[in-house]
Amino acid sequence: MTGEQARGRPRSEEARRAILNAALEIAAEEGYSALTIEGIAARAGVGKQTIYRWWPTKADVLLDAGAAKAELRVPLGDHGSYAADLRAFLTASYKMANDAALSDLLRALMAEAQLNPVFGERFRRDFLERRRDALGVIVDRARQRGDLPSRPARGVVLDLVFGTIWYRVLATRRRLDKALVDDLVAVLTDGA
Amino acid sequence: MTGEQARGRPRSEEARRAILNAALEIAAEEGYSALTIEGIAARAGVGKQTIYRWWPTKADVLLDAGAAKAELRVPLGDHGSYAADLRAFLTASYKMANDAALSDLLRALMAEAQLNPVFGERFRRDFLERRRDALGVIVDRARQRGDLPSRPARGVVLDLVFGTIWYRVLATRRRLDKALVDDLVAVLTDGA
Amino acid sequence: MTGEQARGRPRSEEARRAILNAALEIAAEEGYSALTIEGIAARAGVGKQTIYRWWPTKADVLLDAGAAKAELRVPLGDHGSYAADLRAFLTASYKMANDAALSDLLRALMAEAQLNPVFGERFRRDFLERRRDALGVIVDRARQRGDLPSRPARGVVLDLVFGTIWYRVLATRRRLDKALVDDLVAVLTDGA
Amino acid sequence: MTGEQARGRPRSEEARRAILNAALEIAAEEGYSALTIEGIAARAGVGKQTIYRWWPTKADVLLDAGAAKAELRVPLGDHGSYAADLRAFLTASYKMANDAALSDLLRALMAEAQLNPVFGERFRRDFLERRRDALGVIVDRARQRGDLPSRPARGVVLDLVFGTIWYRVLATRRRLDKALVDDLVAVLTDGA
DNA sequence: GTGTAATCGAGACGGTACGTCTCGTCTTCTC
DNA sequence: GAGAAGACGAGACGTACCGTCTCGATTACAC
């Protein structure tokens, strides 16, 4: 019996969309730190309570709003070799990271994850771990192919790839480019 | 004679110390997001204006407070080889990263750097770049020794090392350990 | 049906009363210059915003708080002659002026009216003019009776009566007494 | 022997003048409530301490600054009769009261006198009582001449005259004019 | 001339209140 | 029962002034 019989007025899909759009717009136009629940409610033409009823923090609204857009852009198709798979993954990733709106969003979410431990946990589980799993598929496939160098360990590969990307996004603010991809692939595949 | 002639009552060194200590204490006890200028002022027994006079944001107070402690813990002595230098640097770094109070501080500052672009610029210049320069010394020394693999490029080495460390601190929250150091050294020195 | 349909949570009558009481209490206990919006909010157990939402300045809070008490104490009943009406009005007025709490309130409001022109306009319209109108009724009735001396002009009677009372309250701080009432009545009725 | 032998650097007459001028200028340009000790010091090019050393409050600075100007404008010459003396006094007074800058100053000082009891006492003693004494001379002279009506009592004459003037200045903000003077003289001299 | 002492401009100090902003909750009527 | 509206208690923000303090520099008189 899945069906708890819904009673009363059903949730408004229109309000939901208006909230997510408003959040993305404000974040894009004025920056994440200018984003407030009050502002979202005002722009969406929605009561504050409607937001609080469905999302615990403004970061969750944003995470929800950004989910569809960022999801599934990463190709996991088999390109025949570890190096080729890696290259495809990295290239797709750096296109995301070089999208200013998207990287601003990610930086804000990562920041919020540090400041709010409860959101941090959700962010890690719902976003970061999924990304790790995606790259993990590539690594596991390489291992099965016998394509994977003995070092570094599987976990370290993930740390190293995502660490480098995130560090450029958060710290140096330099664009990710083909040279970086080449170096990372070389390093992880024994310079083949 | 650099000396701008000081006019008026000189800055109180006592107040400065009280402010930095109070900030560190509150951040340690209650977390960065519970840190407020009002709280610092109250605990330090100081007027709020005295804080605003010398620091633009609470993050700058913390950066200043943490500066002395975090500085110079990194050994740049010559250990005879690139691998040995790297290992020493990484070992020292992960001891810092595994210090809970210190890593909490760093996570908060990195978060704030994302939310406040002006502080971000200061954080990058006054902290992150200095750390890069330190590791840069090791890489440059290796190049002179003829010890440095052709790949990855100097800049990528820095991104990769700091990226991995920061990612563990910010994203996976897993301790840095000897296995990680070993893998990083292996990867960067052609698995020697 | 005047009724603008009220939307949202209605104004809290309880908060309103708590604010007015707190303001009067603080003014009475510590004096008008020790009265602050923060203090009122704290004593009333109310957010500052709730005060700012409904009153522009602390003087307006006090004016509102004092309104009910000061109102209607002035008898306008017909005592048969101009002299008798005047005497009744003056006697009632000086009882008000000799009430320490009330005269402190009036002095503070008159002072604030000088310092803040916008409040001054409100004070004049909502308090001073109403008082003038009350005495005006007595003067007009005397004129209809044929009881009114040709001099002074109607407006000057009001200036003279209220001027004398206010001057004692503001400047000499001497109590108003029966002798003053007798002299004023004599002067205004041709010493009858 | 008045002469305490002055030791140390003597008081700067230049600073004193600069302070009084600055106070009058700011009060005239921005209004009394925008007048601050900091503002006076800044405009006068003077340290705040120099103001606090010589005047207890900003109202005292203003009282001092206005003293010379307001003083002695009131003629006490003998015009031969009580009515003529009164008329001369009132005419001079209403010219003062109709001077906008001067009446703004007086309103501010009277307001401050209500809010700050210590200044109030000084204001009463140093300004209001002197004005009463001046008019008192006229009344006393009338009594000696046998010119004075039996009513109202001497004190009430003063209350009534100054009360009416102050009330117009503080409350109705209407200009004082010849008609008022005529009515007051008539009322106080038995309509002679 | 060489103290000694009080003044001066400057500006930092510990405080307090300001008026605003946003939080997350609540209370109403409407759909 | 969900939603829009908007008032509520709470509390931090950054600013403005308060009145005090601590500097170095200046200016008088006393020795």
Side-chain angles (χ1 to χ4, degrees):
Chain A
M1 317 297 163
T2 26
E4 302 260 338
Q5 183 47 52
R7 305 234 302 168
R9 182 176 178 173
R11 177 172 182 185
S12 160
E13 180 58 23
E14 190 184 343
R16 184 179 158 276
R17 268 197 305 269
I19 289 165
L20 297 182
N21 285 337
L24 283 179
E25 285 171 22
I26 295 173
E29 292 170 18
E30 311 186 48
Y32 177 77
S33 38
L35 184 67
T36 64
I37 299 278
E38 305 229 339
I40 298 171
R43 160 117 41 161
V46 137
K48 286 162 62 179
Q49 195 61 257
T50 302
I51 302 178
Y52 283 113
R53 190 152 23 225
W54 303 108
W55 295 275
T57 72
K58 61 179 181 170
D60 290 275
V61 177
L62 224 41
L63 179 53
D64 207 347
K69 317 214 164 191
E71 202 100 49
L72 301 177
R73 290 207 196 172
V74 184
L76 295 177
D78 189 333
H79 295 79
S81 72
Y82 182 39
D85 282 356
L86 258 185
R87 185 172 302 276
F89 184 91
L90 284 167
T91 304
S93 292
Y94 87 60
K95 277 181 184 151
M96 279 175 51
N98 285 340
D99 173 337
L102 189 48
S103 77
D104 283 349
L105 183 66
L106 291 173
R107 296 193 304 114
L109 293 176
M110 183 59 102
E112 195 61 41
Q114 308 310 312
L115 301 177
N116 179 340
V118 177
F119 172 75
E121 198 44 55
R122 270 195 299 275
F123 181 60
R124 224 162 276 129
R125 171 165 38 80
D126 296 348
F127 183 79
L128 297 176
E129 286 300 330
R130 293 192 184 183
R131 301 276 301 147
R132 285 178 75 87
D133 291 345
L135 182 52
V137 167
I138 289 175
V139 177
D140 292 340
R141 192 191 294 149
R143 180 162 26 226
Q144 286 169 344
R145 263 199 222 100
D147 218 4
L148 191 71
S150 62
R151 292 198 130 170
R154 186 193 126 116
V156 174
V157 173
L158 307 186
D159 292 349
L160 202 144
V161 168
F162 288 115
T164 306
I165 296 173
W166 274 108
Y167 180 75
R168 283 238 178 161
V169 170
L170 298 172
T172 68
R173 312 293 308 268
R174 272 169 50 219
R175 292 176 60 78
L176 281 68
D177 53 17
K178 186 165 177 309
L180 178 67
V181 173
D182 290 342
D183 274 353
L184 277 179
V185 171
V187 149
L188 292 171
T189 57
D190 268 341
Chain B
M1 314 303 165
T2 25
E4 304 258 340
Q5 182 49 50
R7 305 236 293 174
R9 179 175 177 172
R11 177 171 182 184
S12 161
E13 180 58 24
E14 190 182 343
R16 183 179 157 277
R17 268 195 306 266
I19 289 165
L20 298 181
N21 286 338
L24 283 179
E25 287 170 21
I26 295 173
E29 292 169 20
E30 310 185 47
Y32 177 77
S33 37
L35 184 67
T36 65
I37 298 280
E38 300 226 336
I40 298 172
R43 162 121 35 163
V46 138
K48 286 162 65 176
Q49 196 61 251
T50 300
I51 302 179
Y52 284 112
R53 204 170 354 242
W54 303 109
W55 294 276
T57 71
K58 62 180 182 171
D60 289 275
V61 177
L62 268 192
L63 178 54
D64 207 347
K69 315 215 164 190
E71 203 102 48
L72 299 178
R73 292 208 193 170
V74 183
L76 295 177
D78 189 333
H79 297 78
S81 72
Y82 182 38
D85 281 356
L86 258 185
R87 185 173 302 277
F89 183 90
L90 284 167
T91 304
S93 291
Y94 86 60
K95 276 178 184 154
M96 277 176 51
N98 286 338
D99 173 337
L102 189 49
S103 78
D104 282 349
L105 184 67
L106 292 174
R107 295 192 306 113
L109 293 177
M110 183 59 101
E112 195 60 43
Q114 308 309 313
L115 301 177
N116 179 340
V118 177
F119 172 73
E121 196 45 54
R122 272 193 297 274
F123 182 58
R124 226 160 274 131
R125 173 166 36 82
D126 296 347
F127 182 79
L128 297 176
E129 286 299 328
R130 293 192 184 184
R131 300 276 302 148
R132 285 177 75 86
D133 290 345
L135 181 53
V137 167
I138 289 175
V139 177
D140 292 339
R141 192 192 292 149
R143 180 162 26 227
Q144 286 170 345
R145 266 200 220 97
D147 219 1
L148 192 71
S150 61
R151 296 196 125 170
R154 187 193 126 120
V156 175
V157 173
L158 308 186
D159 293 349
L160 202 146
V161 168
F162 288 116
T164 305
I165 296 174
W166 273 109
Y167 181 76
R168 284 238 176 160
V169 169
L170 298 172
T172 67
R173 314 291 309 268
R174 273 170 48 221
R175 293 176 59 80
L176 282 68
D177 53 19
K178 187 163 177 309
L180 178 68
V181 172
D182 289 343
D183 274 352
L184 277 178
V185 171
V187 151
L188 291 172
T189 57
D190 268 340
Chain C
M1 313 298 165
T2 24
E4 305 255 340
Q5 183 46 52
R7 306 239 293 174
R9 180 176 179 171
R11 177 171 183 184
S12 161
E13 181 58 23
E14 189 183 345
R16 184 180 156 274
R17 268 197 305 267
I19 289 165
L20 297 182
N21 285 339
L24 283 179
E25 286 170 22
I26 295 173
E29 291 169 19
E30 311 185 48
Y32 178 76
S33 37
L35 183 69
T36 65
I37 298 279
E38 301 227 336
I40 297 171
R43 160 120 37 163
V46 136
K48 286 163 63 176
Q49 196 62 255
T50 301
I51 302 179
Y52 284 112
R53 202 171 355 243
W54 303 109
W55 294 275
T57 71
K58 62 179 181 171
D60 289 275
V61 177
L62 268 192
L63 178 54
D64 208 348
K69 318 213 164 191
E71 203 101 47
L72 299 177
R73 292 207 194 171
V74 183
L76 294 177
D78 189 333
H79 296 78
S81 71
Y82 182 39
D85 281 357
L86 258 185
R87 184 172 303 276
F89 184 92
L90 285 168
T91 304
S93 292
Y94 86 61
K95 275 178 186 155
M96 280 176 50
N98 285 339
D99 173 338
L102 189 50
S103 77
D104 281 350
L105 182 66
L106 292 173
R107 296 193 306 114
L109 293 178
M110 182 60 101
E112 196 59 42
Q114 308 309 313
L115 301 177
N116 179 339
V118 178
F119 172 74
E121 196 45 54
R122 273 194 297 273
F123 182 58
R124 226 161 274 131
R125 172 166 37 80
D126 295 348
F127 182 79
L128 297 177
E129 286 299 329
R130 293 193 185 184
R131 301 276 302 146
R132 286 177 74 86
D133 290 344
L135 182 53
V137 168
I138 288 175
V139 176
D140 292 339
R141 191 191 294 150
R143 182 166 18 231
Q144 285 170 342
R145 265 201 221 100
D147 219 4
L148 192 70
S150 61
R151 294 196 128 171
R154 188 193 125 118
V156 175
V157 173
L158 308 186
D159 291 350
L160 202 146
V161 168
F162 289 115
T164 305
I165 296 173
W166 274 108
Y167 181 75
R168 283 238 176 160
V169 170
L170 298 172
T172 67
R173 312 293 307 270
R174 273 170 47 220
R175 293 177 58 82
L176 282 68
D177 53 19
K178 183 160 180 312
L180 177 68
V181 172
D182 291 343
D183 274 352
L184 277 179
V185 172
V187 150
L188 291 172
T189 57
D190 268 340
Chain D
M1 317 297 161
T2 26
E4 303 260 338
Q5 184 47 53
R7 304 240 301 174
R9 181 177 179 171
R11 176 173 184 183
S12 161
E13 180 59 23
E14 190 183 344
R16 183 180 158 275
R17 269 196 306 267
I19 289 165
L20 298 181
N21 285 338
L24 283 178
E25 286 170 22
I26 295 173
E29 292 169 19
E30 311 187 47
Y32 177 76
S33 38
L35 183 68
T36 66
I37 298 279
E38 302 229 339
I40 297 171
R43 160 116 43 160
V46 136
K48 285 163 63 178
Q49 195 62 258
T50 302
I51 301 179
Y52 283 112
R53 193 155 19 228
W54 304 108
W55 294 275
T57 71
K58 62 179 181 170
D60 289 275
V61 177
L62 224 39
L63 179 54
D64 207 347
K69 317 212 165 191
E71 202 99 49
L72 299 178
R73 291 208 194 170
V74 183
L76 294 177
D78 190 333
H79 295 79
S81 72
Y82 182 38
D85 280 358
L86 258 185
R87 186 172 300 276
F89 184 91
L90 285 168
T91 304
S93 292
Y94 88 59
K95 277 180 184 153
M96 280 175 52
N98 285 338
D99 173 337
L102 188 49
S103 76
D104 282 351
L105 183 67
L106 292 173
R107 296 193 305 115
L109 294 176
M110 182 60 100
E112 194 62 42
Q114 308 309 313
L115 301 176
N116 179 338
V118 177
F119 172 74
E121 197 45 54
R122 270 195 298 275
F123 181 59
R124 226 161 274 130
R125 171 165 37 79
D126 295 349
F127 182 78
L128 296 176
E129 286 300 329
R130 292 194 186 182
R131 301 276 302 146
R132 285 177 74 86
D133 290 345
L135 182 53
V137 167
I138 288 175
V139 176
D140 291 340
R141 194 192 291 149
R143 179 161 27 226
Q144 286 170 346
R145 265 201 222 96
D147 220 1
L148 192 71
S150 61
R151 292 197 128 169
R154 187 193 125 117
V156 175
V157 173
L158 307 186
D159 291 350
L160 202 146
V161 168
F162 287 116
T164 305
I165 295 174
W166 273 109
Y167 181 74
R168 284 237 175 161
V169 169
L170 299 171
T172 69
R173 312 291 309 267
R174 273 171 47 222
R175 293 176 59 80
L176 282 67
D177 53 19
K178 186 165 177 306
L180 178 68
V181 172
D182 290 343
D183 274 353
L184 276 179
V185 171
V187 149
L188 292 172
T189 56
D190 267 340

